[in-house]
Amino acid sequence: MINAQKGLPMPVDLSGDWAFAYQPPDAAPPDIMPAPGEFAAAMPAPGNWDDHLDRLRRLTSWSKARFNPDYRPVEFPMGTHPPNTTLPYLLGTGWYRRTVKIDGLDRHSRVMLTVGGVVGEGWVWLNGRCLAHQTTHRLPFTVRLDPWVKPGANDLVLAVSNLAHDKESCDLRGYAGYSAGICGPVTLKITRQALLENFYLQPAAGGRAIQWQVDVAGAGEARNLQTRYRLAEWNSGRTVLDGAALARGRTARWTTSAQDVICWSDRDPRLYRAICELWRENELLDQVEQPFGLRLLERRGNQLFLNGQPLYLRGMCEHGYFPLTTTPPLDQAFYLENCRKLKELGYNWIRFHTWVPGEAYLKAADEAGMLVQLEAYHGFDAADWRRILRHGRTHPAVVLYACGNEECIDAPRLKMLRRMAVIARREAPDALFNPQSALRGVEYGDPAHLGPGAVARPYPHHPGKLAQLKKFADVFAPYCWGMLSYTHSISRGDRRVIDRRLKAYQRPCLAHEIGITGTYLDLDLENRYAGTRIGTALYATACRYLARAGLLSRAARYYRNSCAWARLLYKYNLETARMCQTVSGYDHLGAYDHHWHRYGYPCGVMNEFYEIKPGESAENFRRSNGESALLLDAGPRRNFNAGAAAAWDLHVSWFAPARVKNGLVEWRLADDAGLTRARGTLPFRNLAPGQIRKLGTISLRMPEVSRAEHLTLHARLVAPEQELDNLWDFYVYPQPAGAPAVSLDGALLKKWRRFCQSEAGGRPAAIRIVPALTDAAMSHLRGGGVIILLGHNPFAALPTEFHSCSAGRALGNMATVIYDHPLTRDFPHAGWCGWQFYSMLEGGAAVVFDDLPMEFKPIIEVVSSFKLIVKQAALFECRMGAGRLLVCSLNLLPGDPGSVYLLGRMAAYAAGADFQPELSLDPDWLARRAPAGAINPEYTATDQAFDATLAARKA
C-alpha cells in the first residue's frame, strides 16, 4: 500500500516481477488487453524476455511463439560480405501487470509514472484505459496517471511490442536484435497540488552564471508556489549556493552566480548535486535531484574550447556490444570501470554510434569525466529527437548531439537536419550540434549520392550542400575520404591533403571512424562465452574452420602478430590525424572488439572484455592518444642505408592547460641493445595550449653497420610539470658489396642492374633471377639449376598491402609471419613484417597455396581473415625436378634499402649449402595447369561497410 499523504514525495520503485502475458505476432493487436487468466507467468522489470524464456514455456500462447526469421548459425566461410550476427529473439507483445494500492488520494494529488525505457514500442494502461503510447526506443518516459488513478487498488498494465522494425541502431542489430523488454526502472511518484518535471541547469554569461529551469505540472491550479534550490558538493554535501524563486506559470526560470562553483571537465570532473524543491507556504510539495557539472563547450573558428581551454577530442566509437549480457547492463559500476580503462588509454570522448545509452552509462561518464556524443538512431522523428536531447542535457558529460551515421544527405535530409538543429538549440543550448557522422552525399559517395552541383576538383564534393550545412552546424565529423581509415589510410593518408580539403569546412572537424584495423580472434576467449546468451559459436566455429585448414596450431601466433601489426597501424593513424591543423578530434574505431557486426569485428586496442591486447600497454598507447603528444613526420618509409642522412620534422599536439615559455626536446637514436647511436636536442619557445606545431627538425646520419639493424628514435619533451615521450621504428642496412654470381632475365635486368652482377669472371652464373617461370627458366630447373622467382607467375596470387584488412571483413589479410629460417636470420624482424616491409607489401602479392600439391611451409606467410581462409606465402622454397626454386612475390624495389638487402640475402642463401628445400613440386604439374597469374578480383573488392540504412531509404 502506498500512502499518498505520508512523508516526502519520493518515487516508489515498482521494479521486480510483474504478472506477464505473451501474445505471438498473429494474436490480437496491442490495443486489446489479454484476459486476466493469460497473465500466468512472472517477468522482471527491468529485464528482457529472452533472458527468461523458461518462465514462458508453460503459457498456453507458447505453442504459437515466433522468433526472428533472419537468425542464422555462425559458419565459416560465410561469403565475402558476412551479415550482422543474429540470435533467435522472441517476437510479439509482452504484457506486464501488477496491482498498485494507493491510500490517501484526493483531488489535489498528482501521480506520475516513469518507465525507464522499452525496447520497441510501449503502452501504459490504467484501470482498463490506455493512457499512453511510446515509440521512442530505449529512452525513459513519463505518464501522468491522474485523474484516472483511484484510491485503493489500481490495475497497472504495461505493454511492449517488438514487431515494428522502423528503428535501426547499433543496440538493435546483431546478437541483441530487437530483444524486447523494459530496459530501466519503473517508478511511481505521488505529490500534492503540483510536481516538478524537466529540471535543467545550464551555464550562462559565458560560464560565470547558472540558469535554472524546471517545469511545474499543476501550477495553474496551485497558488503561492515557490522553488527552493541548492547546489551541494557531490561527496561532502556542503552547500555552495542556495536560494528561492517564485514559481509562476508552467516553467520556472532563474539565474544565479557560479562564483563558487568549480567547472567540470574531462581533466577534473567536478560534480555537484542540484536539488530543487517546490513549496507552498510551509508545505513541501515535491523535490527533484540530479547531478550537475558546470561546463561550457564552445567552438571558436575550427577549434573547440572547454571552459575557455582548447580541447582535443580523443574518442572511441561505442557500438553497444556486451558479450556477457547481450543487452546493455543496468549496473553503473560496470560502466564506470569501463570508462576508467578508456581514460587510462587516453580517451576523453565516447561517440555512441546510432544509439542512446541509459542513465547508468551517462552517470558513469559524468563521474569519470568522459565527454559524450549522443547519436540518433535511423528512423527517428522530431519527438524522438526532443526526448534524446532532454535525456542527455541533464548530464554534463553530454556535449554533442548528432542526427545519425552515414546517411545520404539529399535535399529532404538537409531540410530535416536544419530543423533538428533548431530543436537542439532550443532544448539543449549548452551542447554543440553535429549534423551526422560522416557526410555521405557531401564529401563522398557515388555521383548519384553527390547529386547535381557536385564538383570533381580540387576533390569530389558538393560545395552547395556543404555551404547549407555550415549555416547551422557547430562541428562536422568528416569521413576524410578514407585517408585516416580503411585499407588505404597508410599509403594515402597525407595530412597536407587532408588539411587542404578540410579548410573549406570552417568548423571543428572530428575525423570519422579512424583506424578500423582488424586483428585475429583470440581463440582462448571461447570459454568466456560459455553459459552466455551469445554462446561460444563464433570462437568454436573459427576453431573448426582453422582445424580443417590445418592451421589451428598457428592461430595463437596469428593473433599475436595481428596485434603487433595493429599497434603499428593505429599509432600511425592517430598521429597522422593529430598533425592535421584542421582536425579537432577523432572517433577511433576502435577501442574494443565488438562481434555483433559481420560475425566478428575484432578492431580494438582491447578485446571485448576491456582487456588490453598482447604487446600493448596503456602507457604506450597514451603516447599517441594522450592529452598532448609528440609527433614525427616520418611517413611510412623507414628503411635507410648505413651512413645515409636523415631528417624528420618533430611536431607536438599540445593541449595541456599551461603555456610553455621555454622548453626542450631531447632525442636519441638507439639500437635494440639500448646503445645510443645518435643524440641531440631541440629547444623551443612559447608553446601555447591548443597548438599543433612544428618544434624543429631532427637531423642525423644513420650509423655505419655491418649487418642490418632495427633502430628506435626516442624523443622526450621536458616542460614545467609536464613531460611527453614517444618513439618510432627505423631500419638501417649495410651498403651492398656485390652479390653471388647471378643472371637476371628480361625486365629485371634494367630494374636491378645497379645492384646485381650478371656474370662473375666470365663464368656463367648457376643462379638465375627471373620475373616468371618461362620455358627457359623451367629448363634451367630441370637441368639442376637454381631459380629465384621475383613475382608470382605462374602461381595464383592475391595482392598485399601494408594494412591489415578493415575490421569485420572477410577479404584482405590480418597478419604476417616470418618463420625462423637461415634466409631471414640476418634480416631484422620480430617474427612479423613491420615498417621494414612497407615498400615490399605495397603493390606486392602472396602466392596462394590452396591448390598447390605440396605442404604449406612458407618462409614469410601472409595471413588471411579467419572468416575466409586462404593459405598464402610471400616467400617460400621448393625443389622442382633436379633444380631448386626460391619464390619471393614481394614488391622489391631497387630504391628501397630493405628490398636490396633482402634480395642480397636471398642470393647469398640460394648460392649456399643451406639451400636444401624439404618440399618438392612436380614441374610437370605446374606445366599442365593453366597460367594463374591474374589476381582474383573478388578478393580486391572494397567493402567499406557503410550502414545499410541507405539501402533501406532507397527501397
Side-chain angles (χ1 to χ4, degrees):
M1 176 70 75
I2 302 171
N3 191 328
Q5 302 288 335
K6 185 178 180 182
L8 193 66
M10 299 297 291
V12 177
D13 191 357
L14 301 181
S15 300
D17 280 351
W18 291 51
F20 187 81
Y22 165 69
Q23 287 182 334
D26 55 354
D31 57 352
I32 301 176
M33 191 185 302
E38 296 183 54
F39 289 86
M43 183 65 64
N48 280 80
W49 312 339
D50 294 289
D51 294 327
H52 305 282
L53 295 181
D54 57 313
R55 301 186 179 196
L56 306 183
R57 299 184 192 279
R58 63 176 179 269
L59 296 177
T60 56
S61 58
W62 184 251
S63 61
K64 297 182 179 180
R66 296 292 180 268
F67 293 83
N68 58 301
D70 57 342
Y71 165 71
R72 62 182 297 179
V74 181
E75 54 185 20
F76 294 132
M78 192 184 286
T80 58
H81 295 75
N84 287 338
T85 53
T86 57
L87 285 176
Y89 59 82
L90 186 64
L91 286 168
T93 304
W95 295 82
Y96 300 75
R97 187 175 198 168
R98 74 182 302 165
T99 299
V100 180
K101 296 181 179 179
I102 305 175
D103 184 30
L105 286 172
D106 58 31
R107 65 184 183 88
H108 300 294
S109 298
R110 300 289 178 264
V111 183
M112 180 72 77
L113 177 75
T114 299
V115 180
V118 299
V119 179
E121 54 185 329
W123 293 260
V124 176
W125 295 65
L126 182 68
N127 298 326
R129 180 191 296 267
C130 185
L131 302 185
H133 176 211
Q134 167 74 14
T135 60
T136 303
H137 168 59
R138 200 175 281 282
L139 293 180
F141 63 95
T142 59
V143 181
R144 287 278 301 276
L145 300 186
D146 54 283
W148 299 279
V149 70
K150 61 184 181 181
N154 289 266
D155 184 35
L156 179 62
V157 176
L158 309 178
V160 178
S161 171
N162 62 353
L163 297 179
H165 292 177
D166 54 340
K167 306 281 198 300
E168 184 181 358
S169 66
C170 273
D171 63 329
L172 288 176
R173 296 161 65 185
Y175 284 121
Y178 289 80
S179 295
I182 295 173
C183 50
V186 181
T187 61
L188 196 67
K189 185 175 182 180
I190 304 174
T191 65
R192 291 181 55 76
Q193 295 288 329
L195 54 81
L196 300 174
E197 299 177 290
N198 300 319
F199 186 32
Y200 175 43
L201 287 73
Q202 61 174 295
R208 298 184 302 275
I210 302 172
Q211 180 177 305
W212 302 63
Q213 174 179 314
V214 68
D215 290 343
V216 184
E221 303 173 23
R223 297 289 183 270
N224 303 319
L225 297 179
Q226 181 188 62
T227 59
R228 298 179 188 177
Y229 56 89
R230 181 164 62 94
L231 207 60
E233 290 181 345
W234 186 257
N235 293 320
S236 70
R238 184 182 71 88
T239 298
V240 296
L241 69 86
D242 57 5
L246 292 177
R248 297 191 180 98
R250 181 71 174 83
T251 301
R253 293 185 179 90
W254 63 95
T255 301
T256 64
S257 170
Q259 180 177 351
D260 296 324
V261 181
I262 299 173
C263 287
W264 182 99
S265 71
D266 56 325
R267 297 180 108 251
D268 181 13
R270 193 66 63 100
L271 283 176
Y272 295 87
R273 300 184 190 277
I275 302 164
C276 183
E277 298 172 343
L278 183 66
W279 289 78
R280 187 189 58 186
E281 297 176 349
N282 294 321
E283 182 184 7
L284 176 61
L285 301 180
D286 196 7
Q287 174 182 306
V288 290
E289 177 182 325
Q290 66 191 35
F292 172 69
L294 180 64
R295 54 102 184 101
L296 181 65
L297 183 67
E298 306 169 282
R299 76 162 182 92
R300 301 176 189 174
N302 67 346
Q303 276 195 301
L304 293 172
F305 287 78
L306 182 62
N307 306 326
Q309 290 290 321
L311 174 71
Y312 196 93
L313 290 177
R314 310 174 307 278
M316 60 85 77
C317 192
E318 167 61 271
H319 280 74
Y321 178 67
F322 304 100
L324 298 181
T325 59
T326 306
T327 53
L330 299 174
D331 182 10
Q332 183 177 335
F334 169 84
Y335 298 112
L336 194 59
E337 177 64 12
N338 285 357
C339 286
R340 182 190 65 78
K341 292 177 179 178
L342 292 170
K343 296 279 282 191
E344 283 183 355
L345 289 168
Y347 295 107
N348 68 344
W349 175 46
I350 298 176
R351 172 206 163 201
F352 285 92
H353 186 304
T354 59
W355 72 288
V356 180
E359 283 289 305
Y361 207 149
L362 294 183
K363 286 180 178 178
D366 291 340
E367 289 191 39
M370 186 64 76
L371 300 162
V372 163
Q373 172 176 293
L374 297 185
E375 195 166 283
Y377 40 77
H378 174 67
F380 79 100
D381 59 21
D384 296 333
W385 182 239
R386 289 188 187 91
R387 291 189 180 101
I388 291 171
L389 294 165
R390 291 194 173 192
H391 177 62
R393 72 183 188 178
T394 60
H395 296 276
V398 181
V399 294
L400 289 161
Y401 295 90
C403 290
N405 175 71
E406 298 184 18
E407 303 228 26
C408 184
I409 299 178
D410 51 17
R413 185 162 179 84
L414 195 59
K415 182 178 179 181
M416 183 273 285
L417 292 174
R418 184 182 297 110
R419 182 185 175 202
M420 296 305 110
V422 171
I423 297 173
R425 289 189 170 86
R426 181 175 66 240
E427 298 290 344
D430 62 335
L432 299 184
F433 178 73
N434 174 11
Q436 70 176 38
S437 291
L439 306 177
R440 182 194 290 272
V442 175
E443 61 186 354
Y444 70 95
D446 61 36
H449 297 160
L450 293 174
V455 299
R457 297 180 182 278
Y459 58 92
H461 73 292
H462 198 295
K465 292 181 187 177
L466 182 59
Q468 289 297 312
L469 287 170
K470 285 192 288 189
K471 292 179 180 180
F472 55 82
D474 295 312
V475 301
F476 286 123
Y479 162 63
C480 292
W481 311 276
M483 291 183 177
L484 295 173
S485 59
Y486 298 112
T487 56
H488 50 274
S489 61
I490 302 297
S491 59
R492 302 183 193 174
D494 189 326
R495 65 179 178 84
R496 298 162 187 84
V497 174
I498 295 171
D499 275 337
R500 283 199 300 270
R501 294 183 176 187
L502 289 184
K503 273 187 178 179
Y505 288 61
Q506 298 177 327
R507 295 289 184 276
C509 289
L510 309 176
H512 172 73
E513 293 182 4
I514 76 170
I516 319 186
T517 299
T519 67
Y520 223 72
L521 278 183
D522 178 5
L523 299 180
D524 288 342
L525 295 180
E526 178 182 351
N527 67 312
R528 305 277 286 274
Y529 283 85
T532 68
R533 185 175 164 216
I534 290 175
T536 61
L538 171 63
Y539 288 85
T541 302
C543 285
R544 290 193 296 271
Y545 188 29
L546 282 160
R548 291 199 304 270
L551 299 176
L552 183 58
S553 63
R554 306 186 190 197
R557 174 180 273 181
Y558 290 169
Y559 174 62
R560 291 193 305 272
N561 286 15
S562 73
C563 293
W565 202 3
R567 288 197 304 275
L568 181 153
L569 295 170
Y570 54 59
K571 174 181 173 66
Y572 189 89
N573 284 131
L574 295 178
E575 294 182 6
T576 299
R578 297 197 69 159
M579 277 190 281
C580 294
Q581 296 288 336
T582 54
V583 173
S584 298
Y586 47 77
D587 74 276
H588 179 215
L589 203 166
Y592 75 106
D593 292 349
H594 42 270
H595 296 316
W596 64 263
H597 188 35
R598 298 187 177 278
Y599 281 89
Y601 208 93
C603 61
V605 180
M606 300 181 288
N607 65 26
E608 60 266 41
F609 299 99
Y610 275 67
E611 298 159 342
I612 296 177
K613 291 181 178 178
E616 187 58 280
S617 68
E619 179 185 14
N620 183 63
F621 189 73
R622 283 199 308 271
R623 289 187 169 109
S624 306
N625 196 50
E627 180 180 64
S628 299
L630 284 174
L631 313 165
L632 193 71
D633 194 6
R637 302 183 188 278
R638 307 289 180 88
N639 289 334
F640 289 84
N641 283 319
W648 309 288
D649 289 340
L650 185 71
H651 297 246
V652 67
S653 172
W654 185 256
F655 285 85
R659 175 185 292 269
V660 180
K661 293 183 179 179
N662 296 288
L664 185 72
V665 171
E666 301 170 342
W667 62 264
R668 70 186 185 97
L669 187 69
D671 59 26
D672 287 344
L675 180 65
T676 297
R677 311 298 285 271
R679 68 167 66 245
T681 59
L682 292 175
F684 63 89
R685 301 183 63 188
N686 298 323
L687 180 59
Q691 284 189 336
I692 302 169
R693 62 173 260 200
K694 175 182 169 181
L695 295 178
T697 301
I698 294 175
S699 300
L700 55 83
R701 282 200 173 275
M702 286 294 177
E704 296 291 347
V705 295
S706 59
R707 57 178 294 173
E709 292 189 32
H710 166 241
L711 302 173
T712 305
L713 180 67
H714 301 258
R716 186 168 71 100
L717 182 151
V718 182
E721 301 182 3
Q722 180 87 24
E723 286 192 9
L724 295 179
D725 72 282
N726 209 340
L727 44 88
W728 301 270
D729 296 317
F730 294 93
Y731 297 85
V732 62
Y733 303 87
Q735 292 284 0
V742 296
S743 174
L744 291 96
D745 286 5
L748 288 174
L749 183 61
K750 182 178 180 181
K751 184 176 180 181
W752 286 96
R753 73 168 66 237
R754 294 184 179 179
F755 170 63
C756 291
Q757 301 171 348
S758 61
E759 290 185 345
R763 298 189 306 274
I767 303 172
R768 288 186 184 174
I769 301 179
V770 301
L773 290 183
T774 60
D775 290 343
M778 295 297 290
S779 177
H780 185 69
L781 283 169
R782 286 188 174 96
V786 174
I787 290 286
I788 299 177
L789 173 61
L790 297 186
H792 59 83
N793 197 359
F795 299 102
L798 295 175
T800 60
E801 57 187 350
F802 197 76
H803 195 296
S804 67
C805 68
S806 294
R809 282 62 170 180
L811 304 179
N813 302 310
M814 286 189 162
T816 55
V817 181
I818 303 177
Y819 291 94
D820 182 37
H821 189 276
L823 194 161
T824 58
R825 285 174 193 157
D826 195 36
F827 193 89
H829 67 87
W832 56 284
C833 298
W835 284 119
Q836 74 274 46
F837 281 89
Y838 171 77
S839 296
M840 303 183 221
L841 286 171
E842 284 290 312
V847 172
V848 175
F849 261 68
D850 291 350
D851 297 325
L852 287 181
M854 59 183 290
E855 190 177 349
F856 182 52
K857 283 192 173 182
I859 301 171
I860 297 181
E861 181 182 0
V862 178
V863 182
S864 65
S865 166
F866 56 87
K867 301 178 186 180
L868 186 60
I869 295 174
V870 183
K871 298 177 183 177
Q872 303 169 86
L875 182 61
F876 67 95
E877 62 185 356
C878 65
R879 293 186 181 275
M880 188 169 288
R884 291 164 293 165
L885 175 66
L886 183 63
V887 179
C888 178
S889 53
L890 295 166
N891 182 28
L892 301 185
L893 299 174
D896 172 43
S899 298
V900 172
Y901 190 77
L902 182 60
L903 182 58
R905 293 298 306 140
M906 291 164 57
Y909 170 70
D914 287 338
F915 187 28
Q916 301 296 332
E918 298 178 27
L919 306 177
S920 295
L921 181 62
D922 181 1
D924 293 333
W925 178 89
L926 198 60
R928 287 194 303 268
R929 67 190 295 273
I935 295 172
N936 186 342
E938 180 185 33
Y939 286 92
T940 61
T942 299
D943 170 25
Q944 296 181 326
F946 295 120
D947 263 0
T949 54
L950 180 65
R953 283 170 61 84
K954 289 175 119 180

